[in-house]
Amino acid sequence: MERPAWAPRSIDISVPSVSRIYDYYLGGSHNFEVDREAARKAMEFMPGLPKIMQANRAFMRRAVRYAAAEGITQFLDIGSGIPTFGNVHEVARAATPDAHVVYVDHDPVAVAHSRAVLAGDEATDVLAADLRKPREILSSSQVERLIDLNRPVALLLVAILHFVEDTDDPYGAVAELRDALAPGSLLILTHASYEGIPLPTERAEGTVGVYKDIRNPLIMRSRDEIARFFEGYDMVEPGLVPMPHWRPDTAPEEEDPWAFSGFAGVGRTA
């Protein structure tokens, strides 16, 4: 397999990557055949996966616009993945030109490509770090340079927590990040769930099995389990809801049924 120029030498391009699979679902070009093969296997069980990812991105953009309208100019996007059109800094700057954004991911491809895309942009930065180690993120030079933790921050945990197993204490990591944020900060979150998927759970479990096979377990939590991530936050209306129902730009009934898989919400620190 020929290695493209954008792929770091340090990565094994024969192993599927969650970030590159996500890029494939969104119609991106930064993925390999091994990623596409895994994605196609997952779609054999859940053919609407691309629709789910599109709904996820659409929610993210609406939530970033909401944060900007609330006067927030600082964005910390953990699990940011490979940059695609309409990424956080583009959406934020359309509403507030002085927005500062720090992207965080532990996937070397996502980090390398983000750095290439953002080269020369002094108001953004990229950090190679893991959500499971919040202290390393908060104390990083990138965050110290661009994010003032004494002022409100929009913390994005979009489509990442369902890749963190309970044994790695995702609730503790989210709480540690929350405790570092100033009052008025926002948590912007999406999470996969069996609830809302337009097919039997037994069928959807096939997709979960594909992710387990590539050693990136997909943890499908219930709505109540997802709501626990918002402890210490006041929920912004309409609360924790299927993605098309969160402050939609168009009528939710016009959305593809697959878009209602999983949950999205925004919370504000008191």
Side-chain angles (χ1 to χ4, degrees):
M1 184 187 303
E2 185 176 349
R3 181 184 298 271
W6 53 262
R9 289 283 168 189
S10 58
I11 69 163
D12 184 349
I13 61 176
S14 68
V15 176
S17 152
V18 165
S19 293
R20 298 195 306 264
I21 291 171
Y22 188 85
D23 178 69
Y24 173 73
Y25 290 145
L26 290 174
S29 59
H30 287 81
N31 50 77
F32 306 125
E33 180 55 33
V34 68
D35 307 305
R36 297 188 285 273
E37 181 181 356
R40 288 191 291 265
K41 284 181 180 178
M43 289 169 62
E44 288 176 8
F45 300 99
M46 291 176 59
L49 280 167
K51 292 293 184 182
I52 298 173
M53 305 313 163
Q54 290 164 18
N56 186 78
R57 296 288 296 187
F59 159 77
M60 180 274 288
R61 291 191 288 268
R62 296 195 304 274
V64 168
R65 288 197 296 268
Y66 170 80
E70 292 293 298
I72 292 179
T73 60
Q74 307 184 108
F75 298 83
L76 179 58
D77 185 0
I78 302 178
S80 51
I82 296 170
T84 57
F85 175 74
N87 219 12
V88 172
H89 70 285
E90 295 171 331
V91 177
R93 285 195 193 144
T96 177
D98 59 343
H100 285 187
V101 181
V102 174
Y103 292 109
V104 182
D105 208 290
H106 74 285
D107 185 324
V109 170
V111 171
H113 190 53
S114 297
R115 285 175 176 161
V117 168
L118 300 170
D121 187 336
E122 292 301 316
T124 64
D125 212 336
V126 185
L127 170 64
D130 195 313
L131 168 63
R132 295 170 294 185
K133 298 178 180 178
R135 197 168 304 171
E136 292 184 9
I137 296 172
L138 295 168
S139 63
S140 68
S141 61
Q142 291 90 335
V143 168
E144 289 182 353
R145 183 175 75 85
L146 289 176
I147 305 291
D148 179 359
L149 293 174
N150 294 310
R151 296 193 298 113
V153 175
L155 169 64
L156 288 92
L157 300 176
V158 175
I160 179 175
L161 285 163
H162 46 238
F163 291 113
V164 184
E165 298 180 83
D166 287 341
T167 52
D168 288 320
D169 192 17
Y171 296 103
V174 173
E176 189 171 343
L177 290 164
R178 176 200 65 212
D179 292 346
L181 300 180
S185 294
L186 298 178
L187 171 61
I188 297 171
L189 181 152
T190 65
H191 198 297
S193 177
Y194 286 123
E195 298 175 40
I197 294 177
L199 48 69
T201 296
E202 295 75 19
R203 181 74 177 171
E205 285 174 346
T207 289
V208 174
V210 171
Y211 279 89
K212 184 177 180 181
D213 288 344
I214 65 171
R215 299 181 182 178
N216 281 281
L218 179 59
I219 313 302
M220 305 288 269
R221 295 187 172 96
S222 69
R223 184 185 183 282
D224 287 345
E225 290 171 325
I226 297 166
R228 281 182 54 201
F229 288 114
F230 287 97
E231 288 182 1
Y233 289 91
D234 296 324
M235 293 301 295
V236 171
E237 289 294 332
L240 184 62
V241 293
M243 292 176 286
H245 285 302
W246 198 91
R247 300 180 177 240
D249 294 327
T250 57
E253 54 268 23
E254 296 177 6
E255 291 283 351
D256 187 287
W258 283 96
F260 296 86
S261 307
F263 293 95
V266 176
R268 179 183 285 107
T269 55

